[in-house]
Amino acid sequence: MMPALQDAAVHLSDRHFRTIAELIESQVGIKLPQGKRLMLEGRLHKRVRALNFSGLNEYVENLFEADHFETELTHLIDVVTTNKTDFFREPQHFTFMRDVAVPALLRSRGRKEASLKIWSSASSTGMEAYTTAMVLDDMIRNGSRFQYRILGTDISTAVLRLARTAIYTRDVLAPVPEPFVKRYFSSSRDKSRGEVRIIPELRRMTHFMRMNLMDKSYPVDRDVDIIFCRNVLIYFERETQRKVVEQLCGHLRPGGYLLVGHSESMIHSAVPGLKQVQPTIFQV
C-alpha cells in the first residue's frame, strides 16, 4: 500500500475528525478534543473492518448515507463513549444513601411502608445500579420497611446489553464486601469461565433502557427519590451541564437527592433550588 493510501486507512484527516467530533457533540454533548484523536482512530478500526471499508476516511465519507445513518450512529456512540465503572465506586455515596438519604425519605412519607425510586442515569454496565440494589436489599434484611425499584439508563446500547445480562468477570468483585459477594452473586457452572451473575431477586428490581441525557425530555417518572449522575457531566460544556442537571432535578420529588462525581461538585451553582448537602450530594 502506498504511504498516502495507508495513512488514509489508519488515520483520520483533519476534516473527517472534525466531522465526527461535531456530530458526537451535537448528538450526545461529549467533546472530542484533538487529544482524543488517536483513541478515536483506534476504536473505529473494528467498525471499519466490519463494514468492509478501505479505511477510516472512507468510513466517515459513508457515515451519512440515509439508509443506515441511524444504525451506524448508534454504533459510533458506543465507540466513543467511555464506560469506566466499578461496584461500590465512590463508596461514600452508598454510605450516605444507607445512613442518611433513605431514612430521611422514609420519614418524610409518614407511612409504615414506602416505595423508593432510584435512577442511575449514566448506568454503563449496571454496576452502579446493582450496587444500589445490594445496599437497599441489605437494609430491608436488617429491618427497614420499604420497597424499591431501580432504573438504569445509558446512551450506549453495548453497555446496556451487559447490564441486562448482569454477568461479570470475577475480578471486578474486589470492592464488594465478602458477605455481599456470597449473597448477591451466583457463580458460573463452568468454573473455568471465571464469571458471576447478579442473583435474580436483584435483577427483577432493576430495569434498563437507552436514553440520551441531551434529549429535550426524559421518559422517566417525576417522583424519583435518588438520582445518580456520576462522572458523565465532566464531558459536557458548562451550559450543557446546567441544562442536564435542571432536567434531572425536574424528575426528583421534593426532598429527593442528586449524587454526582467528585470532579463535578460545583455543578449546583447555576441551578436554582438545588441545595448542597455534601460536596457531591445535592437535594431539591
Side-chain angles (χ1 to χ4, degrees):
M1 185 181 292
M2 298 294 290
L5 293 176
Q6 187 178 29
D7 189 67
V10 299
H11 295 296
L12 290 165
S13 68
D14 291 342
R15 177 169 64 88
H16 289 126
F17 175 74
R18 285 195 303 271
T19 296
I20 289 185
E22 290 168 3
L23 175 64
I24 292 300
E25 185 171 7
S26 68
Q27 293 291 322
V28 297
I30 296 174
K31 289 190 70 67
L32 288 177
Q34 283 290 334
K36 298 288 187 181
R37 189 163 174 166
L38 284 176
M39 176 274 291
L40 176 63
E41 291 172 345
R43 292 183 179 182
L44 277 177
H45 280 301
K46 186 175 181 180
R47 287 304 300 160
V48 170
R49 290 193 298 271
L51 297 172
N52 293 315
F53 288 124
S54 62
L56 295 175
N57 293 298
E58 184 183 2
Y59 169 83
V60 181
E61 291 287 357
N62 287 272
L63 180 60
F64 294 95
E65 292 291 332
D67 59 341
H68 73 271
F69 173 69
E70 289 298 328
T71 299
E72 191 52 38
L73 178 60
T74 299
H75 287 294
L76 182 59
I77 290 170
D78 287 345
V79 164
V80 302
T81 48
T82 299
N83 295 296
K84 166 64 177 167
T85 186
D86 297 292
F87 288 111
F88 286 90
R89 187 180 187 184
E90 299 182 14
Q92 72 279 3
H93 283 159
F94 300 103
T95 301
F96 178 87
M97 182 180 71
R98 181 194 66 203
D99 295 345
V100 179
V102 169
L105 289 163
L106 295 180
R107 285 195 302 271
S108 71
R109 302 295 167 83
R111 297 197 302 270
K112 289 185 177 180
E113 288 210 27
S115 181
L116 300 179
K117 296 180 181 180
I118 318 295
W119 179 14
S120 171
S121 66
S123 61
S124 186
T125 59
M127 293 186 189
E128 180 177 85
Y130 290 127
T131 299
T132 303
M134 286 185 253
V135 172
L136 295 178
D137 183 82
D138 185 64
M139 292 182 69
I140 293 169
R141 287 171 179 264
N142 283 283
S144 294
R145 296 176 61 85
F146 63 90
Q147 298 176 340
Y148 69 92
R149 294 289 293 175
I150 298 170
L151 170 66
T153 62
D154 203 279
I155 187 64
S156 170
T157 56
V159 297
L160 288 172
R161 283 194 296 271
L162 293 173
R164 291 184 183 110
T165 64
I167 297 173
Y168 304 97
T169 55
R170 184 169 286 277
D171 61 330
V172 304
L173 297 182
V176 182
E178 187 59 31
F180 283 17
V181 173
K182 293 178 179 178
R183 185 187 301 160
Y184 297 122
F185 293 87
S186 58
S187 297
S188 171
R189 292 179 181 177
D190 182 356
K191 301 300 182 183
S192 66
R193 296 175 67 90
E195 292 178 338
V196 295
R197 191 178 194 188
I198 297 289
I199 61 172
E201 291 85 347
L202 294 195
R203 298 203 306 272
R204 283 195 292 268
M205 308 308 292
T206 310
H207 170 69
F208 294 94
M209 71 177 185
R210 186 173 186 267
M211 199 200 78
N212 188 349
L213 289 171
M214 292 287 286
D215 288 346
K216 292 183 178 179
S217 63
Y218 302 152
V220 177
D221 293 344
R222 292 188 173 272
D223 58 350
V224 178
D225 294 283
I226 300 173
I227 298 177
F228 290 86
C229 187
R230 305 190 300 172
N231 305 301
V232 63
L233 296 169
I234 54 173
Y235 298 106
F236 298 159
E237 291 287 354
R238 188 162 184 80
E239 179 59 17
T240 303
Q241 290 179 356
R242 184 189 64 78
K243 290 179 180 178
V244 168
V245 171
E246 278 191 344
Q247 280 221 100
L248 290 172
C249 289
H251 290 269
L252 281 170
R253 69 167 63 247
Y257 296 89
L258 173 68
L259 283 65
V260 302
H262 281 309
S263 54
E264 302 159 329
S265 60
M266 297 305 293
I267 53 87
H268 73 291
S269 57
V271 180
L274 194 57
K275 177 179 67 175
Q276 188 171 38
V277 179
Q278 290 185 12
T280 58
I281 300 173
F282 305 90
Q283 190 175 30
V284 296

